[in-house]
């Protein structure tokens, strides 16, 4: 099962400055981590972009998703990351194995050197880079990020694996491409004009996301209907619209005139990821 969140490049359109924009993106990253999202996709909303568009959003998301012990080496100094210090800690839990510092855990790593006989040196946050054998089916180059499974720390025993590390992946793609993925599963669009999510409606949705879940969000004062140029009166219908299986209002009777995207992500993923 794959969980995906789709956010627009105009996510930070109302942010007053870069610091606020960075914090906003950090809250989306935090929500994605809390609810075990596998992938966050930034889709273009060129008409809604202002100072901090898709490049900024995807860079800050990817930085947040990078393990703290690798951030300096992986990212160096970049203008988009000027206020990276305001990002909330994610502390992504391992999906398998024990805690991130324990035996049997998965860790992110960066290949620092490629040597002969398929051996590479990998910085994975231990005291020193470790020498590992690259799997023959993987083409590993210097600077590439890999996943390392640590089976013992004293002495160090580890191997490069094709398993996904804790946290989420970040990509940029058109909305139609993201919705058309084979692992998209149940596709939900969020909108204040959508069908109200009640406890009864939530019951009918139980199990629909067992084969995957993709949830798309709009931007403040520019929702998905505006981005897709569709009539707001049509999104509450039972029939699929614009590639989605349903349109949901997950914050009914909202007390604020505008629900920010980062707030909507928390409010939406909480009920939709409840176990049966």
């Amino acid at each position: 099962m794959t969980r995906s969140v789709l956010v627009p490049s105009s996510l930070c359109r109302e942010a007053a400055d870069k610091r606020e924009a960075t914090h906003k993106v950090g809250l989306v990253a935090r929500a994605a981590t809390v609810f075990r999202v596998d992938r966050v996709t930034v889709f273009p909303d060129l008409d809604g972009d202002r100072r901090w568009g898709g490049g900024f959003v995807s860079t800050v998301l990817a930085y947040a998703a990078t393990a703290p012990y690798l951030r300096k080496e992986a990212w160096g100094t970049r203008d988009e990351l000027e206020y990276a210090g305001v990002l909330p800690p994610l502390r992504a839990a391992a999906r398998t194995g024990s805690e991130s510092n324990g035996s049997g855990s998965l860790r992110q790593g960066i290949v620092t050197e490629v040597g002969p006989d398929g051996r590479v040196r990998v910085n994975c946050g231990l005291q020193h880079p470790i020498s590992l054998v690259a799997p023959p089916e993987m083409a590993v180059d210097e600077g590439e990020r890999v996943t390392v499974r640590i089976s013992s720390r004293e002495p160090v025993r580890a191997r490069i694996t094709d398993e996904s590390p804790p946290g989420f992946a970040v990509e940029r793609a058109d909305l139609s491409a993201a919705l058309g993925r084979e692992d998209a599963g149940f596709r939900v669009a969020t909108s204040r004009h959508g069908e109200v999510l009640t406890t009864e409606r939530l019951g009918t949705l139980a199990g629909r996301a067992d084969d995957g879940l993709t949830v798309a969000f709009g931007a403040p004062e520019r929702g998905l209907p505006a981005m897709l140029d569709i009539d707001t009166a049509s999104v509450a219908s039972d029939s699929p619209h614009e590639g989605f299986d349903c349109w949901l209002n997950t914050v009914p009777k909202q007390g604020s005139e505008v629900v920010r995207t980062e707030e909507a992500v928390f409010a939406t993923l909480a009920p939709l990821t409840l176990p049966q």
Side-chain angles (χ1 to χ4, degrees), residues 108-192:
Q108 297 179 34
I110 293 181
V111 176
T112 61
E113 182 181 345
V114 177
D117 303 322
R119 298 196 70 88
V120 296
R121 293 185 67 80
V122 180
N123 174 8
C124 55
L126 301 181
Q127 187 173 4
H128 303 288
I130 56 178
S131 177
L132 300 173
V133 176
E137 68 276 8
M138 293 178 62
V140 180
D141 298 318
E142 185 174 332
E144 186 170 346
R145 300 189 205 189
V146 295
T147 303
V148 176
R149 176 169 285 281
I150 308 290
S151 57
S152 172
R153 293 176 64 89
E154 294 183 6
V156 174
R157 294 190 180 92
R159 61 184 175 87
I160 298 175
T161 175
D162 60 359
E163 298 173 82
S164 298
F168 56 87
V170 179
E171 68 173 19
R172 298 180 68 179
D174 290 338
L175 189 59
S176 57
L179 295 174
R181 294 180 66 110
E182 292 185 1
D183 60 355
F186 188 58
R187 299 160 299 180
V188 177
T190 59
S191 171
R192 65 186 302 173

Side-chain angles (χ1 to χ4, degrees), residues 194-218:
E195 178 187 3
V196 171
L197 181 62
T198 62
T199 53
E200 181 180 2
R201 182 66 173 108
L202 185 59
T204 66
L205 295 176
R208 295 292 302 274
D210 287 349
D211 295 326
L213 175 67
T214 296
V215 188
F217 298 87

Side-chain angles (χ1 to χ4, degrees), residues 50-83:
R50 292 182 179 171
R51 285 173 290 180
W52 303 287
F56 173 86
V57 174
S58 58
T59 295
V60 176
L61 279 170
Y63 178 87
T66 302
Y69 52 81
L70 292 180
R71 287 176 176 173
K72 183 177 181 180
E73 182 170 342
W75 294 96
T77 302
R78 297 185 60 157
D79 181 66
E80 299 97 320
L81 303 174
E82 180 180 2
Y83 291 102

